[in-house]
Amino acid sequence: MSSLLLKIFICPIGMILSAWLIPGIEYSGYYQPVTVGLILAIVGVLMEYILLKKGTLWVSTLMDFAATVLIVYFISNWFTTAYVTFLGAVLIGALLAVIEYFVHLWLINSGRTQKSPV
């Protein structure tokens, strides 16, 4: 739950900052990067639940990077007034992967990746 709340804020803010700072990323309105950021947050939490546990920090971070690049590139370009180059999507993916590394490290070290037995 804490991971979801964290990602709901980090991903859209990261998308908005990337649109301001990285060339090749253009959104016509704030709802576009926020929408993509919320999609990234939901997918990221689902991937953490499936993949993240002790010993899978780098695998989970690399999978987050790959998913972020694909989601940003394809979802952003579905908006008729948005434009994201593949290099722009890779740069956003790298930025969010660095943040995700520290989030994953925190989740693993705090024991929040333990799955309860059913």
Side-chain angles (χ1 to χ4, degrees):
M1 182 64 165
S2 57
S3 174
L4 177 63
L5 291 174
L6 191 63
K7 286 178 185 286
I8 283 176
F9 290 104
I10 288 175
C11 291
I13 290 170
M15 290 297 299
I16 290 170
L17 290 174
S18 297
W20 285 342
L21 299 174
I22 299 173
I25 301 170
E26 298 198 18
Y27 292 107
S28 64
Y30 284 112
Y31 74 94
Q32 294 170 337
V34 169
T35 301
V36 176
L38 291 174
I39 292 169
L40 288 173
I42 293 167
V43 170
V45 168
L46 292 174
M47 287 177 59
E48 281 176 2
Y49 185 75
I50 293 169
L51 296 173
L52 189 63
K53 59 185 173 217
K54 197 169 198 159
T56 63
L57 174 66
W58 285 105
V59 171
S60 183
T61 304
L62 287 173
M63 293 300 290
D64 270 343
F65 168 75
T68 299
V69 170
L70 294 174
I71 289 169
V72 167
Y73 184 71
F74 289 110
I75 300 294
S76 294
N77 287 320
W78 279 351
F79 294 114
T80 57
T81 56
Y83 177 74
V84 176
T85 63
F86 189 73
L87 179 60
V90 169
L91 292 174
I92 290 174
L95 171 72
L96 291 179
V98 169
I99 296 169
E100 287 294 324
Y101 171 80
F102 292 107
V103 171
H104 292 169
L105 193 61
W106 170 68
L107 288 171
I108 289 171
N109 289 336
S110 66
R112 288 184 166 93
T113 60
Q114 299 294 327
K115 312 307 189 267
S116 63
V118 177

